[in-house]
Amino acid sequence: MIQTKGYAAQDATTPLGPFNFERREVGEHDVQIEVLFCGVCHSDLHQVRNEWGGAIYPMVPGHEIVGRITKVGSEVKKFKEGDLAGVGCFVDSCRHCQSCNEGLEQYCENHLVMTYSGVEKDGKTVTQGGYSDQIIVDEKYTLKVPENLDLARVAPLLCAGITTYSPMKEWGIGEGHRVGVVGLGGLGHMAVKLAVSMGADVTVLSTSPEKEKDARELGAHNFKNTKDDEMMKEMADSFDFIIDTVSAPHNYNNYLTLLKRDGTMILLGAPPAPAEVIAANLLFKRRRLVGSLIGGIAETQEMLDYCGENNIMSDVEVIPIDYINEAYERMLKGDVKYRFVIDMASLK
Ligand code: NAP
Ligand code: ZN
Ligand code: ZN
């Protein structure tokens, strides 16, 4: 077994702290990655505090991982020692269901192995994530990282990037579309950058008026304060797409009514409590309310290559690992510009 250092939550209420654990030996198809940077997703916070249920402790969070390969298994084809590599939200899947066969592993119908707080296909080994000095992953579930980008700023692409990119591709978002992005956080700021790069007209719909300047610097064409009722009325029936990245419970109806006829609201945020939807807000204008979960391996690679070609990266605040508990508190207050990323050198 491989001795590994990390930071873990021991239960839903105590702060994260140092934690030593073991990872499996490098198998034939595995790569061993020295973790250089790991992004801090709001999902980490939901999971650490067991807000969705099903949390497994001790939990080493982290699914926005970039690092360098230190060892490859005998059958590995895609990577060699010294290559850069990325790992996102899952590290394995059943590999034979329809979704897996279509490259939509995130919707695996049998067993999606999440990067942490998950169980491997052996039915017993608990997975541990990227707030650690190394990780061992099957090469099939490992991504190639463009050499030309700043690695700390690439890490958030592994979740925030692909989660916003995938529905844009699925729904054909681009030129001629008016797109609203609800919530300017980790996912939201990537949604702005990507939608702008695809030619859409982008409006940030935010509860934080002080983020307007940043929103425009990120490329947004418009910024609207969603706490302003008059402004919300003026925007009725005006968007083709609304991308909702909000982490806390909020009223979907206020945003559904901003869609044009046949407009689509895409839920990406995963608040821990259910929400009420007024049927009439969907019926009368044949509006759609849909969801989307991260993205498959092939599409994640496509997104990384696209970001490499278009020089798209996250705006980050790099932190040492021992700042993580404070970072969570700041994230809860919306005080992040716009993703915390842990410099894993601070763990040593
Ligand atoms: P984040 O950085 O904390 O951003 C969330 C943003 O939502 C905040 O910056 C804030 O933006 C807005 N917000 C927060 N509380 C709000 C409230 N009470 N009412 C209205 N707006 C509020 O979080 P993140 O990392 O982007 O993640 C966002 C959500 O997506 C989380 O629930 C996460 O679990 C989920 N997620 C889903 C997927 C998926 O596959 N679908 C993948 C990753 C993450 P403003 O200040 O601009 O209002
Ligand atoms: Zn995430
Ligand atoms: Zn499957």
Side-chain angles (χ1 to χ4, degrees), residues 41 43-44 63-64 89 159-160 339:
C41 179
S43 301
D44 297 346
H63 58 207
E64 293 185 335
C89 297
C159 175
R339 195 58 135 191

PDB file of all heavy atoms in Angstrom, residues 41 43-44 63-64 89 159-160 339, ligand 2:
ATOM      1  N   CYS A  41     -14.462  23.027  -4.371  1.00  0.00           N
ATOM      2  CA  CYS A  41     -15.803  23.153  -4.955  1.00  0.00           C
ATOM      3  C   CYS A  41     -16.820  23.251  -3.823  1.00  0.00           C
ATOM      4  O   CYS A  41     -16.628  22.681  -2.755  1.00  0.00           O
ATOM      5  CB  CYS A  41     -16.062  21.904  -5.801  1.00  0.00           C
ATOM      6  SG  CYS A  41     -17.673  21.850  -6.587  1.00  0.00           S
ATOM      7  N   SER A  43     -19.395  21.685  -3.690  1.00  0.00           N
ATOM      8  CA  SER A  43     -19.816  20.292  -3.422  1.00  0.00           C
ATOM      9  C   SER A  43     -18.975  19.687  -2.298  1.00  0.00           C
ATOM     10  O   SER A  43     -19.471  18.846  -1.542  1.00  0.00           O
ATOM     11  CB  SER A  43     -19.674  19.429  -4.677  1.00  0.00           C
ATOM     12  OG  SER A  43     -20.441  19.954  -5.721  1.00  0.00           O
ATOM     13  N   ASP A  44     -17.703  20.085  -2.185  1.00  0.00           N
ATOM     14  CA  ASP A  44     -16.862  19.582  -1.090  1.00  0.00           C
ATOM     15  C   ASP A  44     -17.516  19.941   0.249  1.00  0.00           C
ATOM     16  O   ASP A  44     -17.590  19.118   1.165  1.00  0.00           O
ATOM     17  CB  ASP A  44     -15.444  20.191  -1.137  1.00  0.00           C
ATOM     18  CG  ASP A  44     -14.679  19.823  -2.407  1.00  0.00           C
ATOM     19  OD1 ASP A  44     -15.117  18.903  -3.114  1.00  0.00           O
ATOM     20  OD2 ASP A  44     -13.643  20.472  -2.673  1.00  0.00           O
ATOM     21  N   HIS A  63     -12.069  17.233  -5.859  1.00  0.00           N
ATOM     22  CA  HIS A  63     -12.239  16.577  -7.156  1.00  0.00           C
ATOM     23  C   HIS A  63     -11.917  17.529  -8.314  1.00  0.00           C
ATOM     24  O   HIS A  63     -12.483  17.410  -9.387  1.00  0.00           O
ATOM     25  CB  HIS A  63     -13.644  15.952  -7.279  1.00  0.00           C
ATOM     26  CG  HIS A  63     -14.777  16.922  -7.111  1.00  0.00           C
ATOM     27  ND1 HIS A  63     -16.021  16.546  -6.659  1.00  0.00           N
ATOM     28  CD2 HIS A  63     -14.875  18.242  -7.360  1.00  0.00           C
ATOM     29  CE1 HIS A  63     -16.820  17.585  -6.636  1.00  0.00           C
ATOM     30  NE2 HIS A  63     -16.151  18.635  -7.067  1.00  0.00           N
ATOM     31  N   GLU A  64     -11.039  18.463  -8.024  1.00  0.00           N
ATOM     32  CA  GLU A  64     -10.525  19.347  -9.091  1.00  0.00           C
ATOM     33  C   GLU A  64      -9.000  19.250  -9.014  1.00  0.00           C
ATOM     34  O   GLU A  64      -8.334  20.144  -8.513  1.00  0.00           O
ATOM     35  CB  GLU A  64     -10.998  20.784  -8.874  1.00  0.00           C
ATOM     36  CG  GLU A  64     -12.504  20.951  -9.034  1.00  0.00           C
ATOM     37  CD  GLU A  64     -12.996  22.391  -8.950  1.00  0.00           C
ATOM     38  OE1 GLU A  64     -12.329  23.239  -8.320  1.00  0.00           O
ATOM     39  OE2 GLU A  64     -14.075  22.680  -9.507  1.00  0.00           O
ATOM     40  N   CYS A  89     -14.422  14.475 -11.015  1.00  0.00           N
ATOM     41  CA  CYS A  89     -15.355  14.051  -9.958  1.00  0.00           C
ATOM     42  C   CYS A  89     -15.520  12.554  -9.810  1.00  0.00           C
ATOM     43  O   CYS A  89     -16.108  12.105  -8.842  1.00  0.00           O
ATOM     44  CB  CYS A  89     -16.716  14.682 -10.202  1.00  0.00           C
ATOM     45  SG  CYS A  89     -16.663  16.467 -10.117  1.00  0.00           S
ATOM     46  N   CYS A 159     -13.933  20.361 -12.496  1.00  0.00           N
ATOM     47  CA  CYS A 159     -15.348  20.253 -12.104  1.00  0.00           C
ATOM     48  C   CYS A 159     -16.121  21.474 -12.598  1.00  0.00           C
ATOM     49  O   CYS A 159     -17.003  21.360 -13.429  1.00  0.00           O
ATOM     50  CB  CYS A 159     -15.524  20.063 -10.600  1.00  0.00           C
ATOM     51  SG  CYS A 159     -17.277  20.078 -10.149  1.00  0.00           S
ATOM     52  N   ALA A 160     -15.778  22.667 -12.099  1.00  0.00           N
ATOM     53  CA  ALA A 160     -16.539  23.866 -12.487  1.00  0.00           C
ATOM     54  C   ALA A 160     -16.526  24.057 -14.005  1.00  0.00           C
ATOM     55  O   ALA A 160     -17.529  24.456 -14.603  1.00  0.00           O
ATOM     56  CB  ALA A 160     -15.963  25.103 -11.787  1.00  0.00           C
ATOM     57  N   ARG A 339     -12.504  31.057  -7.276  1.00  0.00           N
ATOM     58  CA  ARG A 339     -12.326  29.686  -6.807  1.00  0.00           C
ATOM     59  C   ARG A 339     -11.106  29.621  -5.920  1.00  0.00           C
ATOM     60  O   ARG A 339     -10.030  30.125  -6.304  1.00  0.00           O
ATOM     61  CB  ARG A 339     -12.097  28.777  -8.026  1.00  0.00           C
ATOM     62  CG  ARG A 339     -12.244  27.298  -7.786  1.00  0.00           C
ATOM     63  CD  ARG A 339     -13.564  26.896  -7.255  1.00  0.00           C
ATOM     64  NE  ARG A 339     -14.181  25.753  -7.869  1.00  0.00           N
ATOM     65  CZ  ARG A 339     -15.454  25.420  -7.639  1.00  0.00           C
ATOM     66  NH1 ARG A 339     -16.206  26.151  -6.823  1.00  0.00           N
ATOM     67  NH2 ARG A 339     -15.986  24.358  -8.202  1.00  0.00           N
TER      68      ARG A 339
HETATM   69 ZN    ZN B   2     -17.339  20.052  -7.927  1.00  0.00          ZN
END
